[in-house]
Amino acid sequence: MTKKNVAGICVGASNIKIVTGEIEGGRLKVKKQIVKPHDGNARKVLSELLHEHTGSEFLVAVTGRKLREQIPLPQISEPEATELALQYTLADLPTEVEAAASVGGENFMVYELDKSGRVMSVHTGNKCASGTGEFFLQQIRRMNLDPEEAQKLALLDHPYKVASRCSVFSKSDCTHAMNKGVPKGRVVAGLGQMMATKTAELLKRAEARNVLLIGGVAKNRMMKTYLEKEGFRIITSAFDDTFEALGAALWAAEHGRPWSDEELRAENKSAFDFLSPLSAFQHGVSFKEQPWQQATLDDEYIIGLDAGSTTTKAILMRASDQAIVA
């Protein structure tokens, strides 16, 4: 019976994940799972990992949102890769799974599943960084903590309230808390609670209770604790942070192909158009002068307020002639 060596790659916002294995009789036997940060140089790290863990006989396929145009290998979308990985792992899970919550470095989303484990709908969070794994890492680094230290330190029963609607507000809350001497354990717990709350909002849209947690944040024990407090049953698998790479490896058996050094070294043209400098358009710009005037008695005034994350701005304008007086 013919055996196939396969490798599935997921290029994420923070890490490159690879699952390698051998397919025989239609079943994948996983050999390795690799997770390595790329620190912004994904092509270099990917090349190193392929050289170290695969060879010319491997059939390779890629998933993930990063560098899709720069990796000339067969590619499968993340929802499709997730669905294939679900089919592979469902038999080993302790209960029926109603949704898979994927929380990574840059995005978080919920895959709503049917009874057979196929993706029915995808619920995505907004593009704000708060609630993502990379945002969590940035904040704990500012406290001189690594992920394991942060989890050990977290005071889960006394989380500090961290705003979830905007990353600027979230960061400001953390900064103000540290300046006031709030214990790091409370701030870390607040971050974990905020991430879980944003994920829970998507799970409620999917009306799911039994949830498979995948993505790098699946290793964050705070997420599991706070989601369980919200009433969800959280399930993990042996592939929690390589789940999409597993799906890509399964797909590679029929659609993958070997990689070459020449392809990985190939130069890529910019995907951006380049416009003329702004200085070339100075003739089209005019500046409006509006000198301040003195406030007078017995007039009506309008106050305009802009309450930002770190400062509040105000304008006092006379209603009759729109003169700014303060």
Side-chain angles (χ1 to χ4, degrees):
M1 188 176 292
T2 304
K3 296 180 181 180
K4 295 179 180 179
N5 291 313
V6 296
I9 300 165
C10 180
V11 183
S14 306
N15 300 289
I16 291 180
K17 288 84 72 174
I18 296 183
V19 169
T20 68
E22 186 179 83
I23 290 184
E24 185 175 12
R27 183 69 179 170
L28 171 65
K29 182 180 180 181
V30 174
K31 299 286 190 179
K32 293 180 183 178
Q33 297 183 63
I34 304 105
V35 179
K36 187 170 181 179
H38 56 66
D39 297 322
N41 196 345
R43 284 172 62 119
K44 178 177 179 292
V45 173
L46 175 58
S47 178
E48 292 171 352
L49 291 175
L50 286 173
H51 277 96
E52 184 177 354
H53 298 288
T54 70
S56 59
E57 76 279 9
F58 276 77
L59 300 173
V60 181
V62 179
T63 190
R65 289 178 176 78
K66 291 291 181 182
L67 303 179
R68 290 178 69 95
E69 298 83 7
Q70 298 184 34
I71 302 175
L73 288 167
Q75 299 188 10
I76 179 175
S77 71
E78 282 188 296
E80 292 175 291
T82 299
E83 191 171 82
L84 288 173
L86 280 165
Q87 299 301 314
Y88 181 86
T89 57
L90 278 177
D92 299 323
L93 299 179
T95 189
E96 179 182 291
V97 175
E98 298 167 330
S102 177
V103 188
E106 194 174 74
N107 297 282
F108 56 100
M109 63 187 66
V110 166
Y111 299 105
E112 186 177 348
L113 310 175
D114 64 15
K115 295 292 184 181
S116 65
R118 297 194 178 278
V119 176
M120 291 194 303
S121 183
V122 181
H123 304 274
T124 60
N126 59 34
K127 294 300 181 182
C128 181
S130 66
T132 64
E134 189 60 33
F135 181 81
F136 176 79
L137 291 176
Q138 288 171 2
Q139 301 317 304
I140 64 171
R141 287 189 199 114
R142 296 172 68 219
M143 303 180 218
N144 295 316
L145 298 172
D146 63 33
E148 192 57 35
E149 288 173 332
Q151 293 194 75
K152 288 179 180 177
L153 200 64
L155 300 173
L156 299 181
D157 293 330
H158 302 284
Y160 183 82
K161 178 65 175 176
V162 176
S164 63
R165 65 190 181 277
C166 168
S167 59
V168 177
F169 283 98
S170 301
K171 183 177 178 179
S172 296
D173 282 349
C174 294
T175 301
H176 298 329
M178 298 306 297
N179 290 341
K180 291 187 294 186
V182 175
K184 290 181 181 180
R186 289 193 62 202
V187 180
V188 169
L191 284 166
Q193 185 183 53
M194 179 267 289
M195 294 167 67
T197 298
K198 297 194 79 164
T199 303
E201 290 170 358
L202 298 183
L203 289 169
K204 288 171 184 175
R205 282 192 224 166
E207 298 182 349
R209 285 295 164 188
N210 295 335
V211 180
L212 179 67
L213 194 59
I214 60 178
V217 181
K219 292 191 176 298
N220 186 324
R221 296 185 295 275
M222 290 184 291
M223 282 284 289
K224 184 174 186 292
T225 298
Y226 284 123
L227 285 171
E228 286 175 341
K229 286 185 177 183
E230 291 267 2
F232 300 101
R233 182 179 182 185
I234 301 302
I235 303 152
T236 57
S237 77
F239 303 95
D240 50 10
D241 58 349
T242 58
F243 208 77
E244 292 89 348
L246 170 64
L250 293 162
W251 190 75
E254 299 300 326
H255 306 281
R257 64 175 175 81
W259 59 276
S260 69
D261 276 328
E262 290 73 20
E263 287 178 321
L264 292 176
R265 285 197 300 262
E267 291 294 326
N268 293 98
K269 294 182 179 179
S270 172
F272 296 98
D273 292 327
F274 291 89
L275 304 177
S276 302
L278 287 175
S279 58
F281 300 91
Q282 283 183 322
H283 64 276
V285 179
S286 61
F287 294 91
K288 302 297 183 183
E289 294 292 336
Q290 189 164 9
W292 291 10
Q293 297 189 25
Q294 291 294 319
T296 53
L297 296 175
D298 301 323
D299 277 321
E300 289 187 346
Y301 291 90
I302 302 167
I303 294 178
L305 293 171
D306 174 18
S309 59
T310 57
T311 59
T312 297
K313 285 76 70 177
I315 286 286
L316 184 63
M317 177 185 288
R318 189 160 51 220
S320 61
D321 59 359
Q322 297 187 342
I324 296 174
V325 301

